[in-house]
Coordinates of all heavy atoms in Angstrom, one line a residue:
M1248 N 92.7 103.7 123.7 CA 92.6 103.5 125.1 C 91.1 103.2 125.4 O 90.2 103.9 124.9 CB 93.1 104.7 125.9 CG 92.9 104.5 127.4 SD 93.3 106.0 128.3 CE 94.8 105.6 128.9
Q1249 N 90.8 102.2 126.2 CA 89.5 101.9 126.6 C 88.8 103.0 127.4 O 89.5 103.8 128.1 CB 89.4 100.6 127.4 CG 89.8 99.4 126.6 CD 89.6 98.1 127.4 OE1 89.7 98.1 128.7 NE2 89.4 97.0 126.7
K1250 N 87.5 103.1 127.3 CA 86.7 104.1 128.0 C 85.9 103.4 129.1 O 85.1 102.5 128.7 CB 85.8 104.9 127.1 CG 85.0 106.0 127.6 CD 85.9 107.2 127.7 CE 85.0 108.4 128.1 NZ 85.8 109.6 128.2
S1251 N 86.1 103.7 130.4 CA 85.4 103.0 131.4 C 84.6 104.0 132.3 O 85.1 105.1 132.5 CB 86.4 102.2 132.3 OG 87.0 101.2 131.6
L1252 N 83.6 103.5 132.9 CA 82.7 104.3 133.7 C 81.9 103.4 134.6 O 81.8 102.2 134.4 CB 81.8 105.2 132.9 CG 80.8 104.5 132.0 CD1 79.4 104.7 132.5 CD2 81.0 105.1 130.6
Y1253 N 81.2 104.0 135.6 CA 80.2 103.4 136.3 C 79.0 104.3 136.5 O 79.2 105.5 136.5 CB 80.6 102.7 137.6 CG 81.0 103.7 138.7 CD1 80.1 104.2 139.6 CD2 82.4 104.0 138.9 CE1 80.5 105.0 140.6 CE2 82.8 104.8 139.9 CZ 81.8 105.4 140.8 OH 82.2 106.2 141.8
A1254 N 77.8 103.8 136.5 CA 76.6 104.6 136.7 C 75.9 104.0 137.9 O 75.8 102.8 138.1 CB 75.8 104.5 135.5
T1255 N 75.3 104.9 138.7 CA 74.6 104.4 139.9 C 73.2 105.1 139.8 O 73.0 106.2 139.3 CB 75.2 104.8 141.2 OG1 75.4 106.2 141.3 CG2 76.6 104.1 141.4
M1256 N 72.2 104.4 140.4 CA 70.9 104.9 140.5 C 70.1 104.2 141.6 O 70.4 103.1 141.9 CB 70.1 104.8 139.2 CG 69.9 103.4 138.7 SD 69.7 103.2 136.9 CE 71.5 103.1 136.4
R1257 N 69.2 105.0 142.2 CA 68.4 104.4 143.3 C 66.9 104.5 142.8 O 66.4 105.5 142.4 CB 68.5 105.1 144.6 CG 67.6 104.5 145.7 CD 67.7 105.3 147.0 NE 69.1 105.5 147.4 CZ 69.9 104.6 148.0 NH1 69.4 103.3 148.2 NH2 71.1 104.9 148.4
A1258 N 66.3 103.3 142.8 CA 64.9 103.3 142.3 C 64.0 104.0 143.4 O 64.2 103.9 144.6 CB 64.4 101.9 142.2
L1259 N 63.0 104.7 142.9 CA 62.0 105.3 143.8 C 61.2 104.1 144.4 O 61.1 103.0 143.9 CB 61.1 106.2 143.0 CG 61.7 107.4 142.4 CD1 60.8 108.2 141.5 CD2 62.2 108.4 143.5
P1260 N 60.5 104.4 145.5 CA 59.7 103.4 146.2 C 58.8 102.6 145.2 O 58.1 103.3 144.5 CB 59.0 104.1 147.3 CG 59.9 105.3 147.6 CD 60.5 105.7 146.3
G1261 N 58.8 101.3 145.3 CA 57.9 100.5 144.4 C 58.4 100.3 143.0 O 57.7 99.7 142.2
Q1262 N 59.6 100.9 142.6 CA 60.0 100.8 141.2 C 61.2 99.9 141.0 O 61.7 99.8 139.9 CB 60.3 102.2 140.7 CG 59.1 103.2 140.7 CD 58.0 102.6 139.8 OE1 58.2 102.1 138.8 NE2 56.8 102.8 140.3
A1263 N 61.8 99.3 142.1 CA 63.0 98.6 141.9 C 62.9 97.4 140.9 O 63.8 97.2 140.1 CB 63.5 98.1 143.3
E1264 N 61.9 96.7 141.0 CA 61.7 95.5 140.1 C 61.6 96.0 138.6 O 62.1 95.3 137.7 CB 60.6 94.6 140.5 CG 60.9 93.9 141.8 CD 62.2 93.3 141.9 OE1 62.7 92.6 141.0 OE2 62.9 93.5 143.0
H1265 N 60.8 97.0 138.4 CA 60.7 97.6 137.1 C 62.0 98.0 136.5 O 62.4 97.7 135.4 CB 59.6 98.7 137.1 CG 59.3 99.3 135.8 ND1 58.6 100.4 135.6 CD2 59.6 98.8 134.5 CE1 58.5 100.7 134.3 NE2 59.1 99.7 133.6
L1266 N 62.8 98.8 137.4 CA 64.1 99.2 137.0 C 65.0 98.0 136.7 O 65.8 98.1 135.7 CB 64.7 100.1 138.1 CG 66.1 100.7 137.8 CD1 66.1 101.5 136.5 CD2 66.5 101.5 139.0
A1267 N 65.0 97.0 137.5 CA 65.8 95.8 137.3 C 65.5 95.2 135.9 O 66.4 94.8 135.2 CB 65.6 94.8 138.4
G1268 N 64.3 95.1 135.6 CA 63.9 94.6 134.2 C 64.4 95.5 133.1 O 64.9 94.9 132.1
L1269 N 64.3 96.8 133.2 CA 64.8 97.7 132.2 C 66.3 97.5 132.1 O 66.9 97.6 131.0 CB 64.4 99.1 132.6 CG 63.0 99.5 132.4 CD1 62.7 100.9 132.9 CD2 62.5 99.4 131.0
L1270 N 67.0 97.4 133.2 CA 68.5 97.2 133.2 C 68.9 95.9 132.5 O 69.9 95.8 131.8 CB 69.0 97.3 134.6 CG 69.1 98.8 135.1 CD1 69.3 98.8 136.6 CD2 70.3 99.5 134.4
R1271 N 68.1 94.8 132.8 CA 68.4 93.6 132.1 C 68.3 93.7 130.6 O 69.1 93.2 129.8 CB 67.5 92.5 132.6 CG 67.9 91.9 134.0 CD 67.1 90.6 134.3 NE 65.7 90.9 134.7 CZ 65.3 91.3 135.9 NH1 66.2 91.4 136.9 NH2 64.0 91.5 136.1
D1272 N 67.2 94.4 130.2 CA 67.0 94.6 128.7 C 68.2 95.5 128.1 O 68.7 95.2 127.1 CB 65.7 95.3 128.4 CG 64.5 94.4 128.7 OD1 64.7 93.1 128.9 OD2 63.4 94.9 128.8
L1273 N 68.5 96.5 128.9 CA 69.6 97.4 128.4 C 70.9 96.6 128.3 O 71.6 96.8 127.3 CB 69.7 98.6 129.4 CG 70.8 99.6 129.0 CD1 70.5 100.3 127.7 CD2 71.0 100.6 130.1
A1274 N 71.2 95.8 129.3 CA 72.4 95.0 129.3 C 72.5 94.2 128.1 O 73.6 94.1 127.4 CB 72.5 94.2 130.6
R1275 N 71.4 93.5 127.7 CA 71.4 92.7 126.5 C 71.7 93.5 125.3 O 72.6 93.1 124.5 CB 70.0 92.0 126.4 CG 69.9 91.1 125.2 CD 68.4 90.9 124.8 NE 67.7 92.1 124.5 CZ 66.6 92.6 125.0 NH1 66.0 91.8 125.9 NH2 66.1 93.7 124.7
D1276 N 71.1 94.6 125.2 CA 71.3 95.5 124.0 C 72.7 96.1 123.9 O 73.4 96.1 122.9 CB 70.3 96.6 123.9 CG 68.9 96.1 123.7 OD1 68.7 94.9 123.2 OD2 67.9 96.8 124.1
V1277 N 73.2 96.6 125.1 CA 74.6 97.2 125.1 C 75.6 96.1 124.8 O 76.6 96.4 124.1 CB 74.8 97.9 126.4 CG1 76.3 98.4 126.5 CG2 73.8 99.1 126.6
R1278 N 75.5 94.9 125.4 CA 76.5 93.9 125.2 C 76.6 93.5 123.7 O 77.6 92.9 123.3 CB 76.2 92.7 126.1 CG 76.4 92.9 127.5 CD 76.0 91.8 128.4 NE 76.1 92.1 129.8 CZ 75.3 91.5 130.7 NH1 74.3 90.7 130.4 NH2 75.5 91.9 132.0
A1279 N 75.5 93.7 123.0 CA 75.6 93.4 121.5 C 76.2 94.5 120.7 O 76.5 94.3 119.5 CB 74.1 93.2 121.0
E1280 N 76.6 95.6 121.3 CA 77.2 96.7 120.6 C 78.7 96.2 120.2 O 79.3 95.7 121.1 CB 77.3 98.0 121.4 CG 75.9 98.6 121.6 CD 76.0 99.8 122.6 OE1 77.1 100.4 122.8 OE2 75.0 100.1 123.2
P1281 N 79.2 96.5 119.0 CA 80.5 96.0 118.7 C 81.6 96.6 119.6 O 82.6 95.9 119.8 CB 80.7 96.5 117.2 CG 79.6 97.4 116.9 CD 78.5 97.2 118.0
G1282 N 81.5 97.8 120.1 CA 82.5 98.4 120.9 C 82.4 98.1 122.4 O 83.3 98.6 123.2
C1283 N 81.4 97.3 122.8 CA 81.3 97.0 124.3 C 82.2 95.9 124.7 O 82.2 94.9 124.1 CB 79.8 96.6 124.6 SG 79.6 96.2 126.3
V1284 N 83.0 96.2 125.7 CA 83.9 95.3 126.3 C 83.3 94.7 127.6 O 83.4 93.5 127.8 CB 85.3 95.9 126.7 CG1 86.2 95.0 127.4 CG2 85.9 96.5 125.4
R1285 N 82.6 95.5 128.3 CA 82.0 95.0 129.6 C 80.8 95.9 129.9 O 80.9 97.1 129.8 CB 83.1 95.2 130.7 CG 82.6 94.8 132.1 CD 83.8 95.0 133.1 NE 83.4 95.1 134.4 CZ 83.3 94.0 135.2 NH1 83.5 92.8 134.7 NH2 82.9 94.1 136.5
F1286 N 79.8 95.2 130.4 CA 78.6 95.9 130.9 C 77.9 95.0 131.9 O 77.3 94.0 131.5 CB 77.6 96.2 129.7 CG 76.4 97.1 130.1 CD1 76.5 98.5 129.9 CD2 75.3 96.6 130.7 CE1 75.5 99.3 130.3 CE2 74.3 97.4 131.1 CZ 74.4 98.8 130.9
V1287 N 78.1 95.3 133.2 CA 77.7 94.5 134.3 C 76.8 95.3 135.2 O 77.2 96.4 135.6 CB 78.8 93.9 135.0 CG1 78.3 93.0 136.2 CG2 79.8 93.1 134.1
V1288 N 75.6 94.8 135.5 CA 74.7 95.4 136.4 C 74.7 94.7 137.7 O 74.5 93.5 137.8 CB 73.2 95.4 135.8 CG1 72.3 96.1 136.7 CG2 73.2 96.0 134.4
Y1289 N 74.8 95.5 138.8 CA 74.8 95.0 140.1 C 73.7 95.7 140.9 O 73.3 96.8 140.6 CB 76.1 95.3 140.9 CG 77.3 94.7 140.3 CD1 78.1 95.4 139.4 CD2 77.7 93.4 140.7 CE1 79.3 94.8 138.9 CE2 78.8 92.8 140.1 CZ 79.6 93.5 139.3 OH 80.7 92.9 138.8
R1290 N 73.3 95.0 142.0 CA 72.3 95.5 142.9 C 72.9 95.4 144.3 O 73.5 94.4 144.6 CB 71.1 94.6 142.8 CG 69.8 95.2 143.4 CD 68.7 94.2 143.1 NE 67.4 94.9 143.1 CZ 66.3 94.4 142.7 NH1 66.2 93.2 142.2 NH2 65.2 95.2 142.8
L1291 N 72.9 96.5 145.1 CA 73.5 96.4 146.4 C 72.8 95.4 147.2 O 71.5 95.3 147.3 CB 73.4 97.8 147.1 CG 74.6 98.6 147.2 CD1 75.3 98.8 145.9 CD2 74.4 99.8 148.0
E1292 N 73.6 94.5 147.8 CA 73.0 93.5 148.7 C 72.3 94.1 149.9 O 71.2 93.6 150.3 CB 74.2 92.6 149.2 CG 73.7 91.4 150.0 CD 74.9 90.5 150.4 OE1 75.7 90.2 149.5 OE2 75.0 90.1 151.6
S1293 N 72.8 95.2 150.4 CA 72.2 95.8 151.6 C 71.1 96.8 151.3 O 70.4 97.3 152.2 CB 73.3 96.6 152.4 OG 73.9 97.6 151.6
D1294 N 70.9 97.1 150.0 CA 69.9 98.1 149.5 C 69.4 97.7 148.1 O 70.0 98.2 147.2 CB 70.4 99.5 149.6 CG 69.4 100.5 149.2 OD1 68.3 100.2 148.8 OD2 69.8 101.7 149.2
P1295 N 68.5 96.8 148.0 CA 68.1 96.3 146.6 C 67.5 97.3 145.7 O 67.2 97.1 144.6 CB 67.1 95.1 146.9 CG 66.8 95.2 148.4 CD 67.8 96.1 149.1
A1296 N 67.2 98.5 146.2 CA 66.7 99.6 145.3 C 67.9 100.4 144.7 O 67.6 101.2 143.8 CB 65.8 100.6 146.1
F1297 N 69.1 100.1 145.1 CA 70.3 100.8 144.6 C 71.0 99.9 143.6 O 71.4 98.8 143.9 CB 71.2 101.1 145.7 CG 72.3 102.1 145.3 CD1 72.2 103.4 145.3 CD2 73.6 101.6 144.9 CE1 73.2 104.3 144.9 CE2 74.6 102.4 144.5 CZ 74.4 103.8 144.5
F1298 N 71.3 100.5 142.4 CA 71.9 99.7 141.3 C 73.2 100.4 140.9 O 73.3 101.6 140.9 CB 70.9 99.7 140.1 CG 69.7 98.9 140.3 CD1 68.6 99.5 140.9 CD2 69.6 97.6 139.9 CE1 67.4 98.8 141.2 CE2 68.4 96.9 140.2 CZ 67.4 97.5 140.8
H1299 N 74.1 99.5 140.5 CA 75.5 100.0 140.1 C 75.8 99.3 138.8 O 75.7 98.1 138.7 CB 76.5 99.6 141.2 CG 77.9 99.8 140.9 ND1 78.5 100.9 141.4 CD2 78.8 99.2 140.2 CE1 79.8 100.9 141.0 NE2 80.0 99.9 140.2
V1300 N 76.2 100.0 137.8 CA 76.5 99.5 136.4 C 77.9 99.8 136.1 O 78.3 101.0 136.1 CB 75.5 100.1 135.4 CG1 75.8 99.5 134.0 CG2 74.0 99.9 135.8
E1301 N 78.7 98.8 135.7 CA 80.1 99.0 135.3 C 80.1 98.8 133.8 O 79.6 97.8 133.3 CB 81.0 98.0 136.0 CG 81.1 98.2 137.5 CD 81.9 97.2 138.2 OE1 82.6 96.3 137.5 OE2 82.0 97.2 139.4
E1302 N 80.8 99.8 133.1 CA 80.8 99.7 131.7 C 82.2 100.0 131.2 O 82.9 100.9 131.7 CB 79.9 100.8 131.1 CG 78.5 100.8 131.6 CD 77.6 101.9 131.0 OE1 77.7 102.2 129.8 OE2 76.9 102.5 131.8
T1303 N 82.6 99.3 130.2 CA 83.9 99.5 129.5 C 83.7 99.4 128.0 O 83.0 98.4 127.5 CB 85.0 98.6 129.9 OG1 85.2 98.8 131.3 CG2 86.3 98.9 129.2
Y1304 N 84.2 100.3 127.2 CA 84.1 100.3 125.8 C 85.5 100.3 125.2 O 86.4 100.7 125.8 CB 83.3 101.6 125.3 CG 81.9 101.6 125.9 CD1 81.6 102.2 127.1 CD2 80.9 100.8 125.3 CE1 80.4 102.1 127.7 CE2 79.6 100.8 125.9 CZ 79.4 101.4 127.1 OH 78.1 101.3 127.7
R1305 N 85.6 99.8 124.0 CA 86.9 99.6 123.3 C 87.7 100.8 123.3 O 88.9 100.8 123.5 CB 86.6 99.1 121.9 CG 87.9 98.8 121.1 CD 87.5 98.3 119.6 NE 86.8 99.4 119.0 CZ 85.5 99.2 118.5 NH1 84.9 98.0 118.6 NH2 84.9 100.2 117.9
D1306 N 87.0 102.0 123.0 CA 87.7 103.3 122.9 C 86.7 104.4 123.0 O 85.5 104.1 123.1 CB 88.6 103.4 121.7 CG 87.8 103.1 120.4 OD1 86.6 103.3 120.4 OD2 88.5 102.6 119.4
A1307 N 87.2 105.6 122.9 CA 86.3 106.8 123.0 C 85.2 106.8 121.9 O 84.1 107.1 122.1 CB 87.1 108.1 123.0
A1308 N 85.6 106.3 120.7 CA 84.7 106.3 119.5 C 83.6 105.3 119.8 O 82.4 105.5 119.5 CB 85.5 105.9 118.3
A1309 N 84.0 104.1 120.4 CA 82.9 103.1 120.7 C 82.0 103.7 121.8 O 80.8 103.4 121.7 CB 83.6 101.8 121.2
F1310 N 82.5 104.4 122.7 CA 81.6 105.0 123.7 C 80.7 106.0 123.1 O 79.5 106.1 123.4 CB 82.4 105.7 124.8 CG 81.5 106.4 125.8 CD1 80.7 105.7 126.7 CD2 81.5 107.8 125.8 CE1 79.9 106.4 127.6 CE2 80.7 108.5 126.7 CZ 79.9 107.7 127.6
E1311 N 81.2 106.9 122.2 CA 80.4 107.8 121.5 C 79.3 107.1 120.7 O 78.1 107.6 120.6 CB 81.2 108.7 120.6 CG 82.1 109.7 121.3 CD 81.4 110.7 122.2 OE1 80.3 111.2 121.8 OE2 81.8 110.9 123.3
A1312 N 79.6 106.0 120.0 CA 78.6 105.3 119.3 C 77.6 104.7 120.3 O 76.3 104.8 120.0 CB 79.3 104.1 118.6
H1313 N 78.0 104.3 121.5 CA 77.1 103.8 122.5 C 76.1 104.9 122.9 O 74.9 104.6 123.0 CB 77.9 103.3 123.7 CG 77.1 103.2 124.9 ND1 76.1 102.2 125.1 CD2 77.0 103.9 126.1 CE1 75.5 102.3 126.3 NE2 76.1 103.4 126.9
I1314 N 76.6 106.1 123.2 CA 75.6 107.1 123.7 C 74.6 107.5 122.6 O 73.6 108.1 122.9 CB 76.3 108.3 124.4 CG1 77.2 109.0 123.4 CG2 77.1 107.8 125.6 CD1 77.8 110.3 124.0
G1315 N 74.9 107.2 121.4 CA 74.0 107.6 120.3 C 73.0 106.5 120.0 O 72.1 106.7 119.2
M1316 N 73.0 105.4 120.7 CA 72.1 104.2 120.4 C 70.7 104.5 120.9 O 70.5 105.0 122.0 CB 72.6 103.0 121.1 CG 74.0 102.5 120.5 SD 73.7 101.7 118.9 CE 75.4 101.3 118.5
A1317 N 69.7 104.1 120.1 CA 68.3 104.3 120.5 C 68.0 103.6 121.8 O 67.2 104.1 122.6 CB 67.4 103.8 119.4
H1318 N 68.5 102.4 122.0 CA 68.2 101.7 123.3 C 68.6 102.4 124.5 O 67.9 102.4 125.5 CB 68.7 100.2 123.3 CG 70.1 100.0 123.0 ND1 70.5 99.7 121.7 CD2 71.2 100.2 123.7 CE1 71.9 99.6 121.7 NE2 72.3 99.9 123.0
G1319 N 69.7 103.1 124.4 CA 70.2 103.9 125.6 C 69.3 105.1 125.8 O 68.9 105.5 126.9
R1320 N 68.9 105.8 124.7 CA 67.9 106.9 124.8 C 66.6 106.5 125.4 O 66.0 107.2 126.3 CB 67.8 107.6 123.5 CG 69.0 108.4 123.1 CD 68.7 109.3 121.9 NE 68.1 108.6 120.7 CZ 68.8 108.0 119.8 NH1 70.1 108.0 119.9 NH2 68.2 107.4 118.8
R1321 N 66.1 105.3 125.0 CA 64.8 104.8 125.5 C 65.0 104.5 127.0 O 64.1 104.9 127.8 CB 64.4 103.5 124.8 CG 63.8 103.8 123.4 CD 63.1 102.5 122.9 NE 64.0 101.4 122.8 CZ 64.8 101.1 121.8 NH1 64.8 101.9 120.7 NH2 65.6 100.0 121.8
F1322 N 66.1 103.9 127.4 CA 66.3 103.6 128.8 C 66.3 104.9 129.6 O 65.6 105.0 130.7 CB 67.6 102.8 129.0 CG 67.9 102.6 130.5 CD1 67.3 101.6 131.2 CD2 68.8 103.4 131.1 CE1 67.6 101.4 132.5 CE2 69.1 103.3 132.4 CZ 68.5 102.3 133.2
N1323 N 67.1 105.9 129.2 CA 67.2 107.1 130.0 C 65.9 107.9 130.0 O 65.6 108.5 131.1 CB 68.3 108.0 129.4 CG 69.7 107.5 129.7 OD1 69.9 106.9 130.7 ND2 70.6 107.6 128.7
D1324 N 65.1 107.8 129.0 CA 63.8 108.4 129.0 C 62.9 107.7 130.0 O 62.1 108.3 130.8 CB 63.1 108.4 127.7 CG 63.7 109.5 126.7 OD1 64.3 110.4 127.2 OD2 63.5 109.3 125.5
A1325 N 63.0 106.3 130.0 CA 62.1 105.5 130.9 C 62.4 105.7 132.4 O 61.5 105.6 133.2 CB 62.2 104.0 130.5
I1326 N 63.7 105.9 132.7 CA 64.0 106.0 134.1 C 63.7 107.4 134.8 O 63.8 107.5 136.0 CB 65.4 105.6 134.4 CG1 66.5 106.6 133.9 CG2 65.7 104.2 134.0 CD1 67.9 106.3 134.3
K1327 N 63.3 108.4 134.0 CA 63.1 109.7 134.5 C 62.1 109.7 135.6 O 62.2 110.5 136.6 CB 62.6 110.6 133.4 CG 63.7 111.0 132.4 CD 63.1 111.9 131.3 CE 64.2 112.3 130.3 NZ 63.7 113.1 129.2
T1328 N 61.1 108.8 135.6 CA 60.1 108.7 136.6 C 60.3 107.5 137.6 O 59.4 107.2 138.4 CB 58.7 108.7 136.0 OG1 58.6 107.5 135.2 CG2 58.4 109.9 135.2
L1329 N 61.4 106.8 137.4 CA 61.6 105.6 138.2 C 62.8 105.7 139.2 O 62.8 104.9 140.1 CB 62.0 104.4 137.3 CG 60.9 104.1 136.2 CD1 61.4 102.9 135.3 CD2 59.6 103.7 136.8
V1330 N 63.7 106.7 139.0 CA 64.8 106.8 139.9 C 64.9 108.2 140.5 O 64.4 109.2 140.0 CB 66.2 106.5 139.1 CG1 66.1 105.1 138.5 CG2 66.5 107.5 138.1
E1331 N 65.6 108.2 141.7 CA 65.9 109.5 142.4 C 66.6 110.4 141.4 O 67.6 110.0 140.8 CB 66.7 109.2 143.6 CG 65.9 108.5 144.7 CD 66.8 108.3 145.9 OE1 68.0 108.6 145.9 OE2 66.2 107.7 146.9
G1332 N 66.2 111.6 141.4 CA 66.8 112.6 140.5 C 66.5 112.5 139.0 O 67.0 113.3 138.3
G1333 N 65.8 111.5 138.6 CA 65.4 111.3 137.3 C 66.4 110.8 136.3 O 66.2 110.8 135.1
A1334 N 67.6 110.5 136.8 CA 68.7 110.0 135.9 C 69.7 109.2 136.8 O 69.7 109.3 138.0 CB 69.3 111.1 135.2
S1335 N 70.6 108.5 136.1 CA 71.7 107.8 136.7 C 72.8 108.9 137.0 O 72.8 109.9 136.3 CB 72.2 106.7 135.9 OG 72.7 107.1 134.7
I1336 N 73.7 108.5 137.9 CA 74.8 109.4 138.2 C 76.0 108.6 137.5 O 76.3 107.5 137.9 CB 75.1 109.6 139.7 CG1 73.9 110.3 140.3 CG2 76.4 110.3 139.9 CD1 73.9 110.3 141.8
V1337 N 76.7 109.3 136.6 CA 77.8 108.6 135.8 C 79.1 109.2 136.3 O 79.3 110.4 136.4 CB 77.6 108.9 134.3 CG1 78.7 108.3 133.5 CG2 76.3 108.3 133.8
T1338 N 80.0 108.2 136.5 CA 81.4 108.6 137.0 C 82.4 107.9 136.0 O 82.4 106.7 135.8 CB 81.7 108.1 138.4 OG1 80.7 108.6 139.3 CG2 83.1 108.4 138.9
F1339 N 83.2 108.7 135.3 CA 84.2 108.2 134.4 C 85.5 107.9 135.1 O 85.8 108.5 136.1 CB 84.5 109.3 133.3 CG 83.3 109.5 132.4 CD1 82.4 110.4 132.6 CD2 83.1 108.6 131.3 CE1 81.3 110.6 131.8 CE2 82.0 108.7 130.5 CZ 81.1 109.7 130.7
L1340 N 86.2 106.9 134.6 CA 87.3 106.3 135.3 C 88.6 106.4 134.4 O 88.5 106.2 133.2 CB 87.1 104.8 135.7 CG 85.8 104.6 136.5 CD1 85.5 103.1 136.5 CD2 86.0 105.1 137.9
D1341 N 89.7 106.6 135.1 CA 91.0 106.5 134.4 C 91.8 105.3 135.0 O 91.8 105.2 136.2 CB 91.8 107.8 134.6 CG 91.3 108.9 133.8 OD1 90.8 108.7 132.7 OD2 91.4 110.1 134.3
P1342 N 92.4 104.5 134.2 CA 93.1 103.3 134.7 C 94.4 103.8 135.5 O 95.0 104.8 135.1 CB 93.5 102.5 133.5 CG 93.4 103.5 132.3 CD 92.4 104.5 132.7
V1343 N 94.7 103.0 136.5 CA 95.9 103.3 137.3 C 96.9 102.2 137.1 O 98.1 102.4 136.9 CB 95.5 103.4 138.8 CG1 96.7 103.5 139.7 CG2 94.6 104.5 139.1
A1344 N 96.5 101.0 137.0 CA 97.4 99.8 136.9 C 96.8 98.8 136.0 O 95.6 98.7 135.8 CB 97.7 99.2 138.2

């Protein structure tokens, strides 16, 4: 069964463009993972400092491999001083239909 989630984060003042660049780099790296089905980064139209990332992995094992990747650890370390709360907020999803 696929593993899906979304992550949200709000850039601190003056950090939105830097965060957008880091997210573009992360998207490139995650999309290259063999178990990645979907990785899409959005920016709120009404609040360009707010980012929403949708992710789907082939299965739980692919997600576990994803969280062990060095590029993800680098991204999470980098955003500690760039986003509110020092991290993204992750919400896991279960399919309905």
